[in-house]
Amino acid sequence: MSKDIIDQIFDFNEQVIGTGQVELNPLTDLQHNWTQGFVKEELDELDQAFKKQDIVAMVDAVGDLIYGAMGTFKKMGLSRDQVRLCFTAIHEANMTKKRGNKGRGSDEDAVKPADFVPPEVVISNILFG
């Protein structure tokens, strides 16, 4: 049976990067700066791939963005189960949105309804009980 994306990324961070058990905490300045640089680098790669209309390179760049973003959860000390639960909370909140235009140049976006409930309370309960 294949592992899900969260297990795959946590395995990488534990086995390749050497990130062991981490207490729940905000990112350090160094981790924050690295994450910002990593995201910018992958967005540049996505832009270069787009300009070449290279779908393989686009998929690689988007995959690397996801990989790095999910790895950030590990750096902040979230467990695999906490990531799953938090992501589900975010997903469930997003599923209450409606297709619309937020002014980013496309109507392939999602807008919050008037009664939108953000996921932060659920996330806080997951992380802190």
Side-chain angles (χ1 to χ4, degrees):
M1 177 193 217
S2 66
K3 294 182 175 186
D4 72 12
I5 189 172
I6 295 165
D7 283 332
Q8 292 171 345
I9 293 169
F10 268 58
D11 286 352
F12 170 81
N13 277 272
E14 292 165 2
Q15 296 170 24
V16 176
I17 304 300
T19 307
Q21 185 65 25
V22 178
E23 297 270 335
L24 187 64
N25 65 87
L27 294 173
T28 65
D29 287 343
L30 182 64
Q31 291 168 325
H32 172 76
N33 292 337
W34 182 91
T35 301
Q36 292 282 321
F38 174 83
V39 168
K40 288 175 186 170
E41 179 182 316
E42 293 305 326
L43 287 174
D44 286 344
E45 288 182 20
L46 177 60
D47 187 50
Q48 292 168 14
F50 171 77
K51 288 175 181 171
K52 295 176 186 173
Q53 287 297 287
D54 182 345
I55 192 167
V56 171
M58 287 182 209
V59 168
D60 180 58
V62 171
D64 283 345
L65 278 166
I66 294 166
Y67 215 88
M70 290 291 233
T72 304
F73 289 136
K74 173 78 172 149
K75 291 177 186 175
M76 292 188 294
L78 276 74
S79 70
R80 295 168 192 234
D81 286 338
Q82 286 174 318
V83 172
R84 287 183 181 92
L85 292 169
C86 288
F87 200 81
T88 297
I90 294 164
H91 170 70
E92 288 175 353
N94 283 341
M95 290 301 291
T96 68
K97 295 179 181 180
K98 305 293 180 216
R99 182 179 174 144
N101 187 336
K102 290 183 70 170
R104 294 190 270 214
S106 172
D107 71 345
E108 292 182 351
D109 210 336
V111 295
K112 298 173 185 174
D115 61 347
F116 179 76
V117 178
E120 283 85 354
V121 170
V122 175
I123 292 170
S124 181
N125 287 335
I126 293 164
L127 299 181
F128 305 111

